[in-house]
Amino acid sequence: MKSWVFAATLLSGIAASALAEENQIAASSGVDQKFTSQDVFDLEYADTPRISHDGRYVLYTRRSNDIMTDRTRGALWLAALDGSSNRLLQSDASGGEWSPSGDRIAFTDTDDQGRSAVFIRWMDSGQVERVAAMTGGISDLAWSPDGQWLAFTSRVEADTAPLAKAPKKPEGAKWAEPFKFIDHARYRRDGQGFIDVAFSHVFVVPASGGTPRQLTTGDFDHDGPLAWTRDGRAILTSSNRNEGWELETVEGDIWEVAVTGGVMRQVTSTGGSESAPVISPDGTSVAFVCQPNVKRPVWQVDLCVTQLGGGGLRNLTQSLDREVSDIRWAGGQIYFSYDDRGSRKVARVSPSGGAIETLLEGLGGTSLGRPYLSGTYDVSAKGALAWTQGRSDRPADIFAQSGNRTRQLTQLNEDLLAHRQLGEVHRITYASSHDGTEIEGWYVTPPGFDPAKKYPLLLEIHGGPHLSYGPHFSAELQRYAAEGYVVFYDNHRGSTGYGEAFGLLLEGKYSSPDDAADHLSGVDAMIAKGFIDENNLFVTGGSAGGIATAYLVGLTDRFKAAVAAKPIINWLSKPLSADSYISQIRHQFPAPPWEDPMHYWQRSPLSLVGNVTTPTMLMTGELDQRTPISESEQFYQALKLRGIDTALVRVPGSYHGIASRASRLIAKVDNILAWFARYRVPGEQAEDGPQ
């Protein structure tokens, strides 16, 4: 048997040249074509809507891919809620926030020295001014009620000293880099690698510009979103300021910090985590996200409210068996979003409690690669709503609801996708062979689908594992469908949006024959439809989906080939070599690995590697801190020793998000398709469809 190690860009470069030629031919003929790799660069989506205080406009970020820099760029656009206008406000900007009077917007960007900076744009003149710049980044912008100040969070390096003092270096000498002394528990972070000791603190700066002033102190993180009290004298933030906080997981309280003097007062003190504070319009109460710290992989996340001065704590969503987020307060009601069976919804509830009213559903479209639940919204003081919503064949656009009228305000991808033949998304439910639990899933049929023919099936497993897919646009799945695959994906046990009990079905079983049965039962349900070629079954997944893929091929030889992207292969090695070790060991396992090593081994795909006969490719970022590439190398080398066809794709310069840039998303899919093509056998569809 043969084995290959691919460069992550080799096949995509060849494919891109061929596809560019195909695009030119199709364009000249005027015929709609299938979705290609090159099309990924032309996709756009809307994000972070913010309604103006007069309720007439919605400010939003329009995100697009720059093919020359291979980066996602943002621009601020302004759309009228009545649909009468939609225009560019500011290029190279994102995350705009309205001033209280609506005369300005604040946004973040990098300045000419490469620092993260806050800028102000005046709405009447269009003049833009830099307010402040920080080397530690800027997040969580919040205007003071009078519009005179801006608050934000920024990371500040702590005072550290080397353990040993180095001798004096002669002038002009070139020595090796000095040793770095680490004594903190949280010393690495995916996306950043090994990090210097730094803490997130709250700052204020005059909106007219000036020197930012740090309000919080200490070796603690202070997180946003931030909320100003109505008198403008204090700011609410969330923080875990307990001794030994580094080794705690779901812990934190709401704190009030005075704008003058930085005096802090603790607002909440219940066990678990209270975060994301939002103050009521009358300034007397604060709503926030509340959750317990339990030694389980999933738990209830609720909306709570309390008096700002203390007392009267109420849980408003205890009856809703779903996780809440994105709290807003408007018109005497508290709004929030929650995920429910593959759909993100917006609801509201009275601060005094009572019935929960669901107002919107189908938010999404801001996750371009795979069909994860996503989407954001905003609500005005008078109850007008704006939100991001896509379709199964479109990424996110801006929608708005005012009174009884709902409008779609943007159509960002019609210039491209209206001229592409896309796969169609269909819903399916079935019973798991493990215990009869109902599993919800979806499948994408290729363009020109004919149910009388047989098609290869590609099973795509989501990450998390406590996340969810839905019937949303996915560039990756559309590419698979364009190449003639029926793509099947499910929300297996442990997925969010189906209640706490469903999530806990995966407790202590990540991965296991239980969730494997959910996937295989879905494959059987697809075969029963009559249009799947049983001799051409393929499987892939990333992160938690990668471990599920690697575990699955240790249980069955039904698949012709597999691709495990950024997987966990050995649970005995992974928890103590990744950035997520503190939370993962506490919430995912019954004990540390040295106390119960056999439990960790039973969950490991490496324990089943002796059974594997399926050709399996591994794909991981070289800088991955969440599922280090050493995990992929263990499976690759074990399969090599056993003589099983395998390949290892290393993604240079990439952390865990190997598809975070357009070219990498293209390379990921093209390499997966090329690997599957090596093992795809001729069938009825192979003669007529794409190869």
Side-chain angles (χ1 to χ4, degrees):
M1 294 185 178
K2 295 182 179 179
S3 174
W4 299 268
V5 178
F6 294 133
T9 58
L10 176 61
L11 291 172
S12 62
I14 297 172
S17 298
L19 289 170
E21 184 176 349
E22 289 179 15
N23 289 351
Q24 292 176 356
I25 295 172
S28 62
S29 65
V31 177
D32 288 354
Q33 62 185 61
K34 294 174 183 176
F35 187 71
T36 69
S37 292
Q38 197 78 8
D39 289 336
V40 171
F41 279 105
D42 295 325
L43 293 173
E44 300 183 78
Y45 66 94
D47 201 4
T48 57
R50 294 290 185 269
I51 299 177
S52 60
H53 293 268
D54 61 9
R56 297 173 57 196
Y57 298 96
V58 56
L59 177 72
Y60 67 95
T61 302
R62 181 172 176 171
R63 300 195 186 276
S64 60
N65 294 313
D66 186 333
I67 196 170
M68 299 307 294
T69 62
D70 194 23
R71 299 288 184 181
T72 300
R73 299 176 59 183
L76 292 176
W77 284 64
L78 188 69
L81 261 67
D82 63 6
S84 61
S85 66
N86 182 33
R87 61 189 178 92
L88 173 68
L89 275 189
Q90 187 68 37
S91 299
D92 296 320
S94 60
E97 298 289 347
W98 290 98
S99 67
S101 61
D103 61 339
R104 293 158 290 166
I105 57 170
F107 62 91
T108 58
D109 195 6
T110 54
D111 65 8
D112 53 10
Q113 299 181 40
R115 298 174 300 177
S116 183
V118 182
F119 294 85
I120 295 292
R121 184 190 189 277
W122 292 86
M123 297 302 293
D124 55 358
S125 66
Q127 181 180 351
V128 176
E129 299 175 359
R130 194 191 74 172
V131 173
M134 303 288 289
T135 57
I138 292 175
S139 303
D140 308 309
L141 280 180
W143 286 90
S144 64
D146 62 5
Q148 299 301 306
W149 296 85
L150 281 162
F152 59 86
T153 59
S154 182
R155 298 195 68 78
V156 179
E157 289 191 12
D159 291 330
T160 58
L163 181 64
K165 185 177 180 181
K168 185 177 180 181
K169 182 170 63 173
E171 185 176 351
K174 295 182 179 180
W175 289 10
E177 288 290 322
F179 288 10
K180 292 192 174 182
F181 177 66
I182 297 172
D183 63 353
H184 282 257
R186 302 176 188 237
Y187 65 97
R188 67 162 88 189
R189 185 177 297 120
D190 191 68
Q192 298 179 44
F194 289 93
I195 56 176
D196 293 327
V197 180
F199 300 98
S200 178
H201 287 288
V202 179
F203 289 78
V204 292
V205 65
S208 58
T211 302
R213 181 162 52 88
Q214 183 177 330
L215 299 186
T216 56
T217 58
D219 291 348
F220 309 100
D221 284 322
H222 302 82
D223 301 318
L226 305 176
W228 288 79
T229 57
R230 293 297 173 225
D231 59 11
R233 295 180 178 179
I235 297 168
L236 299 191
T237 181
S238 59
S239 179
N240 180 357
R241 294 177 61 90
N242 297 334
E243 183 178 353
W245 65 270
E246 274 197 304
L247 294 178
E248 294 181 337
T249 52
V250 190
E251 286 291 342
D253 300 293
I254 306 296
W255 293 79
E256 181 183 275
V257 54
V259 174
T260 57
V263 177
M264 298 188 69
R265 180 180 71 87
Q266 191 169 347
V267 177
T268 64
S269 57
T270 59
S273 172
E274 298 89 55
S275 59
V278 182
I279 293 179
S280 62
D282 64 8
T284 62
S285 302
V286 56
F288 51 91
V289 173
C290 53
Q291 49 188 319
N293 191 345
V294 291
K295 199 178 184 303
R296 298 199 304 263
V298 295
W299 51 84
Q300 186 68 17
V301 180
D302 283 311
L303 164 61
C304 290
V305 65
T306 189
Q307 295 296 308
L308 189 56
L313 178 67
R314 294 185 297 279
N315 186 326
L316 303 181
T317 58
Q318 200 163 15
S319 63
L320 179 68
D321 189 17
R322 298 294 186 267
E323 299 179 12
V324 309
S325 61
D326 208 3
I327 298 172
R328 303 277 192 273
W329 204 316
Q333 300 282 304
I334 305 176
Y335 292 69
F336 61 93
S337 65
Y338 68 96
D339 295 341
D340 181 41
R341 298 185 63 86
S343 177
R344 179 158 295 176
K345 301 180 178 182
V346 174
R348 66 184 177 189
V349 65
S350 169
S352 61
I356 296 170
E357 179 186 6
T358 298
L359 305 171
L360 302 172
E361 58 182 80
L363 277 71
T366 60
S367 174
L368 286 184
R370 290 181 283 166
Y372 283 112
L373 272 64
S374 63
T376 58
Y377 79 99
D378 194 25
V379 58
S380 73
K382 294 184 178 180
L385 289 158
W387 66 96
T388 60
Q389 180 174 325
R391 306 190 319 228
S392 62
D393 60 351
R394 296 291 186 275
D397 280 297
I398 294 292
F399 285 71
Q401 183 183 93
S402 183
N404 296 322
R405 181 73 180 270
T406 299
R407 292 183 175 89
Q408 181 175 347
L409 302 183
T410 65
Q411 292 183 314
L412 301 183
N413 290 281
E414 292 308 299
D415 55 338
L416 172 69
L417 297 182
H419 305 286
R420 294 293 183 269
Q421 301 173 37
L422 298 175
E424 293 187 9
V425 179
H426 312 263
R427 181 175 177 267
I428 182 175
T429 59
Y430 56 91
S432 172
S433 62
H434 174 68
D435 55 8
T437 296
E438 182 186 81
I439 305 297
E440 182 177 37
W442 295 266
Y443 61 95
V444 187
T445 52
F449 173 71
D450 182 351
K453 293 184 177 181
K454 299 284 188 179
Y455 293 82
L457 180 72
L458 192 158
L459 166 62
E460 216 288 338
I461 305 175
H462 73 64
H466 305 294
L467 294 172
S468 282
Y469 278 162
H472 309 299
F473 179 84
S474 162
E476 294 187 25
L477 304 196
Q478 287 294 339
R479 281 290 297 123
Y480 298 142
E483 296 302 315
Y485 291 87
V486 171
V487 187
F488 165 65
Y489 56 99
D490 63 68
N491 282 340
H492 54 81
R493 66 191 60 224
S495 300
T496 53
Y498 297 84
E500 187 175 13
F502 186 86
L504 289 174
L505 291 176
L506 202 61
E507 184 176 16
K509 297 179 178 181
Y510 168 35
S511 275
S512 70
D514 300 18
D515 54 297
D518 295 350
H519 303 310
L520 293 175
S521 298
V523 171
D524 291 336
M526 291 301 301
I527 291 172
K529 291 185 174 294
F531 50 76
I532 299 302
D533 180 357
E534 294 186 57
N535 295 317
N536 276 306
L537 305 179
F538 301 88
V539 59
T540 186
S543 196
I547 181 179
T549 297
Y551 203 91
L552 202 55
V553 297
L555 295 175
T556 180
D557 61 359
R558 293 181 67 180
F559 298 99
K560 296 295 294 184
V563 176
K566 47 192 180 182
I568 299 159
I569 296 301
N570 184 353
W571 277 113
L572 286 167
S573 59
K574 188 271 179 184
L576 297 178
S577 61
D579 68 341
S580 55
Y581 74 110
I582 297 171
S583 176
Q584 197 152 53
I585 290 174
R586 170 172 169 75
H587 294 286
Q588 201 73 53
F589 293 96
W594 55 88
E595 294 182 6
D596 192 358
M598 287 309 300
H599 179 90
Y600 285 76
W601 183 244
Q602 289 168 356
R603 303 279 71 82
S604 302
L606 194 60
S607 71
L608 303 174
V609 74
N611 302 333
V612 177
T613 60
T614 304
T616 302
M617 184 167 78
L618 293 306
M619 182 185 300
T620 303
E622 291 183 346
L623 303 179
D624 196 325
Q625 303 293 317
R626 188 63 43 84
T627 57
I629 197 168
S630 57
E631 292 293 310
S632 294
E633 290 171 337
Q634 290 182 61
F635 210 59
Y636 172 73
Q637 293 182 178
L639 293 177
K640 285 282 285 182
L641 289 172
R642 292 199 55 244
I644 305 301
D645 280 9
T646 185
L648 176 64
V649 176
R650 303 177 66 96
V651 186
S654 175
Y655 291 97
H656 194 60
I658 59 174
S660 59
R661 297 171 68 172
S663 70
R664 287 178 179 160
L665 187 154
I666 291 168
K668 174 190 174 184
V669 173
D670 285 354
N671 276 275
I672 290 173
L673 286 169
W675 182 251
F676 289 167
R678 291 185 180 274
Y679 302 97
R680 184 169 161 180
V681 298
E684 180 181 349
Q685 178 66 8
E687 299 176 0
D688 303 331
Q691 299 299 304

